[in-house]
Amino acid sequence: MYLLEQKILSEGEVYEGNILKVDGFLNHRIDVPFMKEVAKEFHRLFMEDGVNKILTIEASGIAIGALVAEEFGCPLVFAKKTKTKNIAGDVYTSKVESFTHGTTYDILVSKRFLDKNDKILIVDDFLAVGNALNGLIELVEKSGATLAGCGVAIEKGFQHGGDKLREKGVKIESLAIVESMDHETGQVYFRK
Amino acid sequence: MYLLEQKILSEGEVYEGNILKVDGFLNHRIDVPFMKEVAKEFHRLFMEDGVNKILTIEASGIAIGALVAEEFGCPLVFAKKTKTKNIAGDVYTSKVESFTHGTTYDILVSKRFLDKNDKILIVDDFLAVGNALNGLIELVEKSGATLAGCGVAIEKGFQHGGDKLREKGVKIESLAIVESMDHETGQVYFRK
């Protein structure tokens, strides 16, 4: 999505360790009128797929998830992160390893909110090694629902989480795929 | 807001300890088309107040915050909860006591995202004793921005956080004010 690539080039900040900071429009301050255009693009890409529910993960997926759900006229469910050891039996859970923080946490969704008749679009702000998306896909599989695909704002192509999911046959639509970054020059290069 | 009161009566669940569970439409599964109507009502109530930024707190305030920001055509900023002891100097922080969990946590917003020229509408899903709102108001005050007011979906009137803020002169608009609940009958009574 040309608009998103331009936004990353003008407002994103590159730091050592392949960190791309976009908290000015995507995940701390959210440029809602701009993200609305992003949501419309996800709707265009998945409008033929029978989506009836959006699934994301707290916290930074929720804003974009809500805007996408509005486009589809459907509910949004967000998975909760938890360190709680005792999780009641009325939830689907999966484990997510945080690549950034080197920790593992559980994510959960109430069984009441995922149904085997659902056709689910997973939405998230970032895709890197793919741990969060894999955890969300596992929740969908456990519920018996159908996965329509995954819509991601920014994919870090060089961490290959998206490529692995595409090889498995999952429909992944990333609106900007970063192929490489240079923290010394601040440059960001996108996949063609 | 009549529609919200009806939604609470039809879908809310009352549990012992004055717990009102509305996670089927407000804070786990979010009924986005319905919450869009809620967002429009907040816009109607604050449209004369010069609002240029919405502020909320993760996680469950984000969805409604995004939909309200869309109505105002402005950005959304969400405060982050943290247990981190060492917080860098480029953030505004305040302490919030969790009435439900009996713990205290810090909330923070990057100084880059609150400006003294801002006129801020704080939005949240729930208002009970008012600790989260007070923490958010403190962040606004520290930034030198102007507080337009607070829009809350559901206020627990019997916990008086809203009344205390109104006595201080803060404009608080709650779309449904619960005056009492009865977990044995499941009944919810609203303030007239």
Side-chain angles (χ1 to χ4, degrees), chain A residues 100-149:
Chain A
T100 318
H101 302 104
T103 54
T104 300
Y105 55 91
D106 291 299
I107 64 173
L108 63 86
V109 167
S110 168
K111 287 186 179 175
R112 292 184 297 147
F113 301 143
L114 291 182
D115 185 273
K116 64 179 169 50
N117 298 311
D118 283 337
K119 192 123 189 225
I120 292 175
L121 171 59
I122 293 173
V123 167
D124 208 358
D125 55 346
F126 264 102
L127 163 57
V129 293
N131 289 339
L133 275 198
N134 281 312
L136 290 168
I137 290 170
E138 194 181 326
L139 296 181
V140 173
E141 286 169 350
K142 283 180 174 174
S143 75
T146 305
L147 179 68

Side-chain angles (χ1 to χ4, degrees), chain A residues 23 28 30 70 76 110 112, chain B residues 23 28 30 70 76 112:
Chain A
D23 62 357
H28 184 13
I30 294 146
E70 192 195 353
L76 166 72
S110 168
R112 292 184 297 147
Chain B
D23 62 358
H28 184 14
I30 296 146
E70 191 194 353
L76 165 72
R112 292 183 296 148

Side-chain angles (χ1 to χ4, degrees), chain A residues 46-86:
Chain A
F46 289 96
M47 67 190 300
E48 312 277 339
D49 296 304
V51 172
N52 75 327
K53 194 172 282 178
I54 309 299
L55 176 67
T56 189
I57 185 167
E58 66 178 0
S60 52
I62 298 176
I64 185 169
L67 298 173
V68 173
E70 192 195 353
E71 289 300 312
F72 282 90
C74 75
L76 166 72
V77 173
F78 66 87
K80 300 183 180 191
K81 296 174 183 175
T82 176
K83 285 170 190 159
T84 313
K85 301 290 171 197
N86 300 309

Side-chain angles (χ1 to χ4, degrees), chain B residues 77-127:
Chain B
V77 174
F78 66 89
K80 300 182 181 193
K81 295 175 182 173
T82 176
K83 285 168 191 162
T84 313
K85 301 292 173 198
N86 300 309
I87 295 170
D90 56 352
V91 292
Y92 299 114
T93 66
S94 64
K95 286 196 183 304
V96 174
E97 198 183 325
S98 168
F99 184 80
T100 318
H101 301 105
T103 54
T104 300
Y105 54 93
D106 291 301
I107 63 173
L108 63 85
V109 168
S110 168
K111 287 185 178 174
R112 292 183 296 148
F113 301 142
L114 291 182
D115 185 274
K116 64 180 170 46
N117 298 312
D118 282 337
K119 194 127 188 220
I120 291 175
L121 170 59
I122 294 173
V123 166
D124 208 359
D125 56 344
F126 265 101
L127 163 56

Side-chain angles (χ1 to χ4, degrees), chain B residues 6 46 61 107 164 188 192:
Chain B
Q6 292 305 307
F46 290 96
I107 63 173
K164 282 178 192 159
V188 177
K192 292 297 160 207

